[in-house]
Amino acid sequence: MAKLQCVRGTYDLYGAAKRKTKQVVRTGEEVVEKYGFEEIETPIFEFTEVFARNLGDTSDIVTKEMYCFEDRGGESLTLRPEGTAGVVRAFVSNGMQQNLPVKFYYHGQMFRYERPQKGRQRQFTQFGVELLADTPQADIEVIAMAYEFLEKLGLSGQVTVEVNSLGDAESRNAYREKLVAYLKEHFDELSADSKNRLERNPLRVLDSKEECDKAVVEKAPLYADSLNEKSKAFFAKVLDGLDRLGIKYRVNNRLVRGLDYYSHTVFELVTDKLGAQGTVLAGGRYDGLVEQMGGGAVAGI
């Protein structure tokens, strides 16, 4: 009889490792509850449409990584690959639009069918927050809270806060045109994945880890040059708020996020202590996601 073991990309969590995991979660709860966030628990699987439509059908999660299955009634269901879409679905389906601002936190199992590598698993625990509010102050609060969380874990001296603005839809479309034109000039130099992304989701090329893509991206147009005045003003307020709180940051003009719903502020807390997997914590603003689910023009981060 073959030796039974965990499926590749999963693991048993017990002993010291489990105690450490619980301490991270407890620290997160302590920090976010101080900021007025309440816990929410959403189902571990949703109708596939919740993720496929709202993460964007060009994202890697939707095209490569989702665990989808058909139930006995013929419905297409998906194990949750991330937390935001499920929380926004809950916000809309439970009629919370009259209660703004809404502050939720959650932690639980997420699932992605990706190639297991250092720092990556196919089943993993994620801790996250969602703040439904349409102000720069919401962005400042979430970034400050993220920094405090890592500070309480003793990591503040080992991470760097990186921020960028993807602007509103008008700014995003203007940059997309410039970027596509540039990348087409260097098409033969791109990796196979980036060639496929060029028409569907060119912003993802900026996030490629392939050396050939990095060389091309190094001279690509800067996102900041495509921001309209409204987007510049929003981002300036976010940076001013971080300055007032004494949070040191670096504006990274190449920083993007992998999902289609992001707009305006995006951020990552990164380290050089983990090798290739340098992002410890990340997030960003989404201005159209609630509306896509039929919940009105409510923004969140």
Side-chain angles (χ1 to χ4, degrees):
M1 179 178 175
K3 182 180 179 180
L4 292 177
Q5 53 189 304
C6 290
V7 175
R8 187 175 181 223
T10 67
Y11 58 96
D12 299 312
L13 194 59
Y14 61 94
K18 179 60 179 178
R19 289 192 292 273
K20 288 180 180 179
T21 301
K22 288 181 71 173
Q23 182 59 31
V24 171
V25 171
R26 286 170 179 163
T27 301
E29 290 178 329
E30 176 186 329
V31 171
V32 301
E33 288 179 356
K34 185 180 74 173
Y35 281 78
F37 284 72
E38 294 188 354
E39 186 172 9
I40 185 171
E41 183 174 326
T42 61
I44 210 163
F45 56 85
E46 301 264 5
F47 290 116
T48 296
E49 184 183 10
V50 169
F51 303 113
R53 184 175 68 176
N54 297 295
L55 302 187
D57 59 8
T58 63
S59 70
D60 282 359
I61 292 178
V62 172
T63 58
K64 299 178 182 179
E65 299 172 9
M66 294 204 313
Y67 278 98
C68 302
F69 61 97
E70 189 174 291
D71 70 6
R72 294 179 181 179
E75 298 280 7
S76 178
L77 305 177
T78 295
L79 296 177
R80 61 187 181 198
E82 57 88 57
T84 299
V87 172
V88 171
R89 192 273 312 148
F91 171 81
V92 174
S93 61
N94 289 287
M96 303 180 196
Q97 293 89 327
Q98 307 304 316
N99 302 327
L100 296 174
V102 170
K103 295 178 166 186
F104 282 128
Y105 77 87
Y106 52 87
H107 54 86
Q109 298 299 302
M110 312 289 170
F111 304 84
R112 294 192 189 183
Y113 187 85
E114 59 183 329
R115 184 182 65 191
Q117 52 188 298
K118 185 177 181 181
R120 297 282 191 179
Q121 299 289 341
R122 288 175 172 170
Q123 177 179 328
F124 56 96
T125 299
Q126 181 170 315
F127 189 103
V129 303
E130 310 297 338
L131 201 173
L132 283 298
D134 189 17
T135 64
Q137 287 72 28
D139 301 27
I140 298 163
E141 179 174 341
V142 168
I143 295 173
M145 192 167 59
Y147 187 81
E148 183 175 337
F149 173 45
L150 295 186
E151 190 174 47
K152 284 190 175 295
L153 291 174
L155 301 174
S156 59
Q158 302 178 54
V159 295
T160 301
V161 180
E162 295 190 349
V163 292
N164 193 24
S165 174
L166 304 183
D168 56 14
E170 180 183 72
S171 301
R172 190 183 182 96
N173 290 336
Y175 181 68
R176 181 188 174 104
E177 288 183 13
K178 291 180 183 178
L179 181 63
V180 169
Y182 170 79
L183 293 176
K184 283 183 175 179
E185 294 176 0
H186 299 271
F187 186 80
D188 292 338
E189 303 166 46
L190 297 173
S191 68
D193 269 353
S194 288
K195 287 176 180 176
N196 290 331
R197 289 167 174 160
L198 183 54
E199 294 298 336
R200 298 184 296 116
N201 192 356
L203 291 183
R204 294 291 287 119
V205 178
L206 301 178
D207 202 30
S208 173
K209 302 300 186 288
E210 299 289 340
E211 291 303 323
C212 58
D213 295 331
K214 289 181 180 179
V216 173
V217 166
E218 192 173 341
K219 297 181 180 179
L222 294 178
Y223 215 121
D225 295 335
S226 295
L227 296 180
N228 57 24
E229 292 306 313
K230 180 181 177 182
S231 297
K232 289 179 182 177
F234 189 99
F235 193 44
K237 289 178 181 178
V238 173
L239 298 184
D240 180 61
L242 296 179
D243 288 335
R244 289 172 181 268
L245 291 175
I247 296 175
K248 295 181 180 179
Y249 59 86
R250 181 173 76 90
V251 176
N252 179 357
N253 287 303
R254 303 298 187 198
L255 176 61
V256 295
R257 301 292 300 137
L259 304 177
D260 290 357
Y261 55 58
Y262 284 113
S263 58
H264 286 295
T265 311
V266 290
F267 66 92
E268 291 188 357
L269 282 78
V270 300
T271 182
D272 59 2
K273 308 295 184 183
L274 295 175
Q277 185 57 34
T279 301
V280 179
L281 189 158
R285 170 163 288 277
Y286 45 90
D287 281 2
L289 183 57
V290 177
E291 195 166 16
Q292 285 180 34
M293 292 199 188
V298 178
I301 180 168

